[in-house]
Amino acid sequence: MGLLSELKLAVPWGHIAAKAWGSLKGPPVLCLHGWLDNANSFNRLIPLLPQDFYYVAMDFGGHGLSSHLSPGFPYYSQDFVCQIRRVAAALKWNRFSLMGHSFGGTVGGMFSCIFPEMVDKLILLDSAPFALETDEMEHLLTYRRKAMEHTLQVEAATKPSSVVSPEEMLQRFLKNNPHVGEECGKLLLERGTTQVATGLMLNRDRRITLPEHCFDFISRELFAHAIRKLQAHVLHIKALQGFYNVRRVNDSDKETMLFLIGVLKSVLKEQYQFVEVPGNHYIHMNKAHHVAPIISAFLQSQESPGS
């Protein structure tokens, strides 16, 4: 399945960039990339999926080819959720499916609980529908403070974005993203960088380089309450060598993820399908052929919410 088109959707601060595959007349699927990634995250997976769907992969604001928010306006988790609503309005979609990797799945999960009547199916790729923080009450103010201080520091900095050679850019990227692999790293950098006279510079907004800007950490109680709002059928694909915690320092502790899965199973029952597959956090890129049949069967299933 070849790329159908590049899209540029107008928003008040500029535009949201996206790319589309498949049949314009097919059921719509909005694809959401991970934190600091971009729409190229789905270049390898979507061609392996059923061709009679219409897939749109967007770049979140501040990522890929999408506009950055104006100076003085910080990024918050709700902003990314609202961007899904803006894209749906621009495409005139009243009901659609969501497929999100990592941060994209978390944003998609929040959207699915806030606008449950709009989401038919939700696919989580090594992700979770919310970011849980077991000590949320203890850390909430600390997170908010760090986010504000970081934004102020970036906006006050006069140092321009660094420009490096393509090879150095790739090596830096792989060092920070060891799960990606060289081929997939190059693919993400194609859309995530701009060529200038002396090398490459990253497109992403430097204000989003802290998790506090992108993830809205919530308590277990709020998570359990929110999940009851879901109407969508959920496919949850967990990579066995993937991440278990947004905060990598806590990644060895699987208890939070096990709690999350337990709540999803008990609340959603037959609406929830959990599958574990061998691979790492970027399995949808570096082993797309392993997850494509699972996703394809889920998309083509005739089940609908409430059936």
Side-chain angles (χ1 to χ4, degrees):
M1 186 184 353
L3 179 66
L4 187 64
S5 60
E6 287 277 351
L7 307 176
K8 210 172 187 180
L9 308 172
V11 291
W13 63 91
H15 70 270
I16 290 177
K19 53 199 306 183
W21 295 259
S23 169
L24 272 167
K25 296 180 180 179
V29 182
L30 186 61
C31 307
L32 311 170
H33 63 77
W35 178 46
L36 305 182
D37 292 340
N38 55 65
N40 276 12
S41 178
F42 295 97
N43 275 29
R44 290 189 161 194
L45 175 61
I46 290 176
L48 302 178
L49 301 181
Q51 298 185 27
D52 53 347
F53 285 76
Y54 183 49
Y55 305 92
V56 174
M58 63 181 281
D59 292 328
F60 284 117
H63 296 74
L65 302 180
S66 287
S67 300
H68 297 186
L69 293 187
S70 302
F73 290 86
Y75 291 83
Y76 290 113
S77 183
Q78 296 94 320
D79 297 328
F80 298 108
V81 176
C82 190
Q83 286 172 30
I84 296 176
R85 188 66 185 85
R86 291 182 186 275
V87 168
L91 297 173
K92 295 181 172 58
W93 291 355
N94 294 318
R95 191 172 182 84
F96 52 96
S97 293
L98 285 170
M99 177 164 61
H101 169 242
S102 193
F103 163 68
T106 300
V107 177
M110 291 179 66
F111 181 90
S112 300
C113 293
I114 296 171
F115 298 96
E117 76 285 356
M118 296 187 71
V119 184
D120 184 28
K121 294 179 180 178
L122 173 65
I123 301 166
L124 304 171
L125 300 169
D126 207 49
S127 181
F130 284 91
L132 263 64
E133 171 55 71
T134 52
D135 297 319
E136 185 256 354
M137 295 303 291
E138 180 71 25
H139 296 307
L140 183 61
L141 295 181
T142 302
Y143 293 164
R144 295 293 182 261
R145 175 172 175 154
K146 285 179 67 177
M148 293 177 191
E149 288 180 339
H150 178 73
T151 297
L152 293 172
Q153 288 169 4
V154 171
E155 291 180 348
T158 56
K159 183 180 178 182
S161 299
S162 58
V163 178
V164 299
S165 69
E167 182 56 34
E168 184 178 352
M169 179 68 77
L170 178 61
Q171 292 310 313
R172 286 185 182 185
F173 187 79
L174 295 178
K175 182 180 179 181
N176 292 326
N177 301 274
H179 284 218
V180 177
E182 187 169 331
E183 286 187 23
C184 297
K186 288 179 179 177
L187 192 58
L188 289 171
L189 287 175
E190 275 180 20
R191 195 174 181 90
T193 58
T194 295
Q195 178 79 51
V196 295
T198 54
L200 295 178
M201 59 186 293
L202 286 169
N203 292 343
R204 70 188 182 212
D205 194 325
R206 285 183 289 178
R207 291 176 292 172
I208 58 175
T209 53
L210 275 183
E212 287 83 355
H213 292 125
C214 298
F215 291 91
D216 191 2
F217 294 92
I218 66 171
S219 66
R220 295 182 179 213
E221 292 78 13
L222 182 54
F223 169 71
H225 174 76
I227 290 302
R228 292 188 179 93
K229 304 293 184 183
L230 263 179
Q231 295 179 17
H233 280 263
V234 179
L235 170 62
H236 191 182
I237 297 178
K238 184 76 193 76
L240 287 170
Q241 290 78 45
F243 294 134
Y244 286 83
N245 199 296
V246 172
R247 300 195 169 281
R248 302 296 180 249
V249 292
N250 300 328
D251 193 50
S252 60
D253 180 11
K254 298 182 181 181
E255 195 274 332
T256 299
M257 179 62 75
L258 293 175
F259 167 81
L260 182 148
I261 293 168
V263 171
L264 289 167
K265 285 181 177 178
S266 65
V267 173
L268 299 180
K269 297 181 172 59
E270 60 276 356
Q271 277 179 246
Y272 177 67
Q273 180 183 349
F274 179 72
V275 183
E276 287 186 297
V277 291
N280 66 24
H281 189 55
Y282 281 84
I283 190 168
H284 69 301
M285 292 190 75
N286 51 41
K287 288 189 176 179
H289 58 287
H290 284 187
V291 295
I294 303 168
I295 296 170
S296 297
F298 180 72
L299 285 174
Q300 291 176 319
S301 66
Q302 297 303 308
E303 295 173 328
S304 61
S307 64

